[in-house]
């Protein structure tokens, strides 16, 4: 136990050297295997959310008669979604807009970095509060950094109701 | 805090290995017979005083002074950060339903809760300030040059870890500010070509910021980053001791001084000031909470933590389609430039005047970051200012 009296190991002969080299490699391989049996399931576990596939759902959001020609309005609706370990009613907001008789549904997430755009009916424009993105009522970029127009969700009108599709 | 063993006062014994200080041990029973003092008994086994003495005697080249106290200030602040963080983890609960009420409970109900949370919130700001000053001093002194390249590289990694701490911690209160800053902040990953969308899902733990984003950020904030930080700081300090502190760029006359007492005294003064400032901020500007996160809300303007405001401003001035420049390319180049600085700056001398372009470019980058951050801070509407007392109204 006394470290003052510890003897150095004697020099190794050729055979012992070769054995050392060989066993050293075996140890390396085994250690990589040990790391592997942990790392592979660990990465799979942490990356599990990548496996989730979105599926389309149609939701009844508004009566057809509640949206006038030329009008744009904010509509909120809830969808039951699986949020990790729990089912929750997630609330979504979209803009419904009727232009030339056609109903369109715009996502309020700015195409720049996802802040919520706000529609100003007096100016017929959507404004993003974050970096100054502006969109017109057809969703096209008017100015600012957004790279493309507002994202649209498919819409159908059936039996006097407006349905919006959403990937959840 | 640290007591000097009486032996170290005489210069002859200071050089001798500590083990000879203990009566020569032939066998365990001799030791038992002589009934050594507990200190000697421990010393033989731990070698503790040898370690302490080595650090107290650490040579400080003449000219080392106040600027070299920032590292120890950072260490102390990190102890505070760890302590307050572990304490809050006893009350905090990371789920979309419980995160907000648990933070509210910590702030409003738990004894000293507002102070503990305030120290943690303001601690992150103080650490970023102290870390920036420490980095600037190392940069201008050219202390990253041979043989201290890896000390610097590890420092740059520590810097990144600290920013990751801030980003993940910001979400945990799950109020509007937290939620929307994370929605926008994580979207930055999606701007990266090809892998962006998958990366976004990996970071968020799903397509949207939700329950799994919160548990992910929590695990990263309280497990992964602290472990990484401790490892990196361990290496950083080992290297600092191995290469000793670099003296001033123009060596000054005189022999090196031991760390104790002069430099240790300076350290303590700076620690008192720094920790005092942290307490003052935590007490004068108690941490607030905004309204609980509302994923459906459309009237909230997200703002990042103040030290990310420079990037935020950069994003604002980028034309359409150029966001990758602000989100990835510029920060990427600055980070890689910092990592490889010891090899990019090839001048032999550490003197700023002999490192022309390095100093020019460095000063330019520092000024740009500073100005953009300042612009961001000035444009922050007062109601969402960082922990402003006005926020307290939102609590009621
Ligand atoms: C929380 C983070 C950090 C802690 C706790 C820390 C701690 C320390 C300590 C105690 C010292 C010696 C005393 C001093 O010079 O102040 C030191 C020196 C040093 N640090 Fe850090 N540091 C941190 C971050 C950084 C960063 C971000 C960088 C660079 C990007 C860096 C680069 C260096 C270098 C190159 C030295 C050697 C200086 C010299 O020899 O003159 N450190 N650090
Ligand atoms: S997020 Fe809308 S302009 Fe940047």
């Amino acid at each position: 136990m006394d470290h003052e009296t510890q003897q150095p190991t004697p020099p190794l002969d050729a055979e012992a050297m070769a054995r050392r080299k060989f066993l050293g490699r075996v140890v390396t391989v085994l250690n990589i295997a040990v790391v592997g049996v942990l790392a592979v399931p660990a990465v799979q576990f942490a990356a599990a959310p990548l496996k989730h596939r979105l599926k389309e759902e149609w939701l009844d959001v508004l009566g057809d008669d509640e949206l006038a020609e030329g009008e744009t309005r904010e509509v909120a609706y809830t969808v039951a979604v699986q949020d990790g370990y729990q089912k929750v009613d997630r609330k979504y907001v979209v803009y419904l807009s009727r232009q030339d008789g056609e109903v369109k549904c715009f996502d309020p997430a700015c195409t720049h970095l996802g802040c919520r755009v706000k529609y100003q009916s007096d100016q017929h424009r959507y404004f993003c509060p974050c970096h100054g993105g502006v969109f017109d009522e057809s969703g096209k970029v008017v100015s600012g950094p957004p790279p493309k127009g507002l994202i649209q969700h498919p819409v159908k009108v059936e039996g006097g109701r407006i349905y919006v599709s959403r990937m959840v | 805090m640290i007591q000097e063993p009486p032996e170290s006062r005489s210069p002859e014994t200071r050089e001798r290995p500590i083990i000879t200080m203990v009566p020569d041990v032939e066998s365990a029973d001799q030791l038992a017979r002589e009934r050594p003092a507990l200190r000697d008994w421990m010393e033989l086994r731990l070698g503790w005083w040898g370690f302490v003495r080595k650090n107290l005697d650490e040579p400080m080249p003449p000219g080392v002074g106040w600027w070299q106290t920032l590292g120890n200030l950072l260490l102390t602040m990190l102890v505070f950060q760890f302590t307050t963080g572990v304490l809050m983890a006893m009350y905090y609960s990371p789920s979309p339903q419980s995160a907000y009420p648990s933070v509210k409970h910590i702030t409003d109900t738990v004894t000293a809760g507002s102070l503990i949370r305030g120290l943690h919130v303001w601690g992150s700001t103080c650490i970023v300030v102290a870390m920036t000053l420490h980095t600037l001093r190392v940069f201008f002194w050219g202390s990253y040059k041979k043989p201290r390249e890896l000390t610097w590289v590890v420092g740059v990694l520590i810097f990144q870890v600290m920013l990751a701490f801030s980003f993940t911690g910001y979400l945990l209160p799950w109020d509007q500010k937290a939620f929307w800053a994370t929605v926008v902040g994580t979207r930055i990953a999606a701007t990266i070509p090809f892998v962006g969308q998958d990366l976004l899902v990996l970071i968020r733990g799903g397509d949207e910021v939700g329950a799994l984003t919160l548990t992910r950020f929590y695990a990263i904030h309280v497990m992964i980053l602290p472990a990484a930080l401790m490892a990196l700081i361990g290496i950083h300090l080992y290297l600092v001791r191995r290469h000793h502190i670099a003296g001033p760029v123009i060596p000054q006359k005189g022999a090196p001084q031991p760390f104790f007492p002069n430099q240790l005294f300076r350290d303590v003064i700076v620690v008192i000031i720094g920790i005092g400032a942290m307490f003052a901020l935590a007490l004068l500007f108690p941490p607030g909470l905004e309204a609980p996160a509302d994923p459906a809300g459309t009237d909230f303007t997200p703002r990042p933590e103040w030290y990310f405001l420079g990037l935020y401003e950069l994003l604002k001035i980028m034309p359409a389609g150029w966001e990758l420049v602000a989100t990835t390319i510029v920060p990427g180049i600055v980070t890689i430039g910092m990592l490889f600085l010891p090899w990019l700056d090839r001048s032999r001398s550490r003197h700023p005047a002999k490192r022309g372009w390095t100093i020019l470019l460095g000063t330019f980058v520092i000024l740009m970051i500073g100005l953009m951050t300042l612009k961001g801070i000035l444009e922050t509407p007062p109601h969402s200012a960082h922990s402003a007392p006005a926020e307290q109204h939102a609590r009621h």
Side-chain angles (χ1 to χ4, degrees):
Chain A
M1 283 307 290
D2 195 338
H3 45 273
E4 312 269 357
T5 64
Q6 210 148 58
Q7 295 286 315
T9 54
L12 298 178
D13 59 22
E15 198 197 314
M17 284 295 267
R19 185 179 164 74
R20 214 181 218 217
K21 203 167 160 188
F22 173 73
L23 285 184
R25 284 194 185 140
V26 172
V27 167
T28 307
V29 169
L30 290 180
N31 274 342
I32 290 173
V34 170
V35 171
V37 292
L38 177 61
V40 171
V43 169
Q44 285 176 324
F45 186 86
L50 280 180
K51 279 213 176 144
H52 177 73
R53 287 282 153 261
L54 297 172
K55 64 177 197 304
E56 188 176 33
E57 273 202 43
W58 283 94
L59 298 134
D60 177 348
V61 293
L62 199 71
D64 193 21
D65 52 355
E66 292 172 80
L67 188 70
E69 169 60 34
E71 190 190 359
T72 296
R73 60 181 289 178
E74 206 179 295
V75 182
Y77 60 98
T78 19
V79 193
V81 295
Q82 190 66 36
D83 185 16
Y85 48 86
Q86 58 187 357
K87 249 210 150 59
V88 295
D89 289 326
R90 187 172 273 156
K91 209 167 141 203
Y92 288 105
V93 172
V94 290
Y95 284 107
L96 283 184
S97 169
R98 195 190 300 267
Q99 311 291 338
D100 306 320
E102 198 193 347
V103 180
K104 284 187 173 159
C105 171
F106 296 104
D107 198 287
C110 178
T111 51
H112 183 222
L113 288 173
C115 296
R116 293 306 185 243
V117 296
K118 192 98 190 134
Y119 185 71
Q120 301 288 343
S121 50
D122 48 342
Q123 297 173 59
H124 301 279
R125 294 257 194 281
Y126 296 90
F127 293 90
C128 177
C130 285
H131 317 104
V134 181
F135 305 84
D136 69 12
E137 37 183 14
S138 66
K140 284 208 257 319
V141 182
V142 176
S143 63
K148 54 179 192 263
L150 289 175
I151 297 201
Q152 293 195 30
H153 297 288
V155 185
K156 66 183 178 197
V157 185
E158 258 176 33
R161 303 293 304 173
I162 300 174
Y163 292 83
V164 170
S165 115
R166 174 135 220 149
M167 306 295 287
V168 288
Chain B
M1 180 179 64
I2 300 170
Q3 259 187 0
E4 194 194 9
E7 296 90 334
S8 72
R9 299 224 180 83
S10 77
E12 315 86 71
T13 49
R14 191 185 283 161
E15 303 305 320
R16 292 161 60 196
I18 193 76
I19 192 99
T20 61
M21 228 65 97
V22 179
D24 270 336
V25 189
E26 301 244 293
S27 62
D29 46 76
Q30 185 185 348
L31 195 63
R33 215 174 35 243
E34 288 183 8
R35 288 183 157 272
L38 181 63
R39 219 190 61 199
D40 293 338
W41 190 94
M42 293 291 279
E43 183 52 39
L44 180 68
R45 282 146 189 91
L46 293 174
W48 172 247
W49 282 116
F51 178 75
V52 170
R53 171 149 357 132
K54 204 167 153 242
N55 281 306
L56 291 176
D57 284 346
E58 173 71 20
M60 300 283 132
V64 165
W66 295 99
W67 281 108
Q68 281 73 12
T69 58
L70 291 163
N72 272 332
L73 174 64
L74 278 165
L75 280 177
T76 314
M77 285 178 162
L78 283 175
V79 171
F80 273 70
Q81 209 66 1
F82 271 82
T83 309
T84 50
V86 168
L87 287 171
M88 286 199 291
M90 295 177 180
Y91 292 89
Y92 177 76
S93 165
S95 85
Q97 292 78 26
S98 59
Y100 183 85
S102 69
V103 173
K104 202 168 162 49
H105 178 68
I106 292 173
T107 321
D108 296 348
T109 316
V110 180
T111 312
S114 174
L115 174 67
I116 297 292
R117 178 162 171 242
L119 284 176
H120 200 77
V121 169
W122 282 109
S124 80
T125 284
C126 292
I127 286 179
V128 169
V129 171
M131 193 167 69
T132 307
L133 290 176
H134 177 66
T135 310
L136 291 182
R137 103 105 175 106
V138 170
F139 174 73
F140 284 108
W141 279 51
S143 309
Y144 51 79
K145 286 182 169 291
K146 187 183 167 187
R148 296 184 183 80
E149 297 94 327
L150 294 181
T151 320
W152 167 268
V153 169
V154 173
V156 177
L157 296 180
I158 293 176
F159 209 113
Q160 305 294 317
V161 168
M162 295 309 300
L163 295 183
F165 258 119
S166 154
F167 186 65
T168 50
Y170 206 60
L171 174 66
L172 302 183
W174 204 254
D175 62 357
Q176 284 284 64
K177 190 165 88 167
F179 183 85
W180 288 105
T182 305
V183 169
V184 176
T186 49
R187 266 285 290 267
I188 286 177
T191 63
I192 297 171
F194 310 116
V195 295
Q197 196 56 38
D198 282 347
L199 202 61
L200 178 72
V201 173
L202 272 183
I203 295 172
R204 287 185 177 174
D207 293 279
E208 315 226 6
V209 175
L212 294 188
T213 319
L214 191 49
T215 43
R216 229 156 239 253
F217 275 36
Y218 186 60
I220 295 173
H221 190 79
V222 307
M223 307 260 209
I224 299 178
L225 293 176
L229 186 64
M230 283 197 233
L232 289 171
I233 288 183
I235 303 173
H236 197 67
L237 295 183
Y238 166 76
L239 290 172
V240 167
R241 275 297 174 257
R242 180 173 159 81
H243 298 298
H244 307 292
I245 279 282
V249 286
I250 306 169
Q252 296 185 7
K253 278 204 245 0
Q257 297 286 311
F259 172 73
F260 179 75
N262 291 348
Q263 188 65 15
L264 178 61
F265 186 70
R266 283 191 199 102
D267 276 359
V268 172
I269 297 289
V270 169
V271 163
I272 298 283
I273 295 171
I275 298 299
M278 235 165 80
F279 266 85
L281 288 166
L283 291 169
L284 291 175
F285 306 99
L289 265 179
E290 304 203 343
D294 174 15
T298 53
D299 45 13
F300 189 80
T301 309
R303 301 210 52 99
E305 186 62 303
W306 67 266
Y307 31 86
F308 292 124
L309 280 174
L311 267 184
Y312 188 82
E313 290 298 316
L314 189 65
L315 264 172
K316 263 196 209 171
I317 59 173
M318 281 294 145
W322 287 72
E323 60 269 26
L324 192 67
V325 174
T327 58
T328 315
I329 298 180
V330 170
I333 288 178
V334 172
T335 308
I336 291 177
M338 275 177 81
L339 274 176
F340 290 98
L341 177 64
W343 297 277
L344 292 173
D345 171 12
R346 306 194 67 97
S347 78
R348 285 278 197 71
S349 168
R350 284 175 45 218
H351 198 291
K354 303 229 171 77
R355 290 186 285 144
W357 74 264
T358 315
I359 294 289
L360 270 180
L361 194 66
T363 311
F364 174 74
V365 171
I366 294 158
L367 277 181
M368 284 319 277
I369 297 177
L371 283 176
M372 296 291 258
T373 308
L374 192 66
K375 184 162 175 280
I377 292 174
L378 292 179
E379 284 177 11
T380 304
H383 72 269
S384 69
H386 176 69
S387 297
E391 271 172 38
Q392 281 185 286
H393 298 303
R395 281 206 249 144
H396 305 303

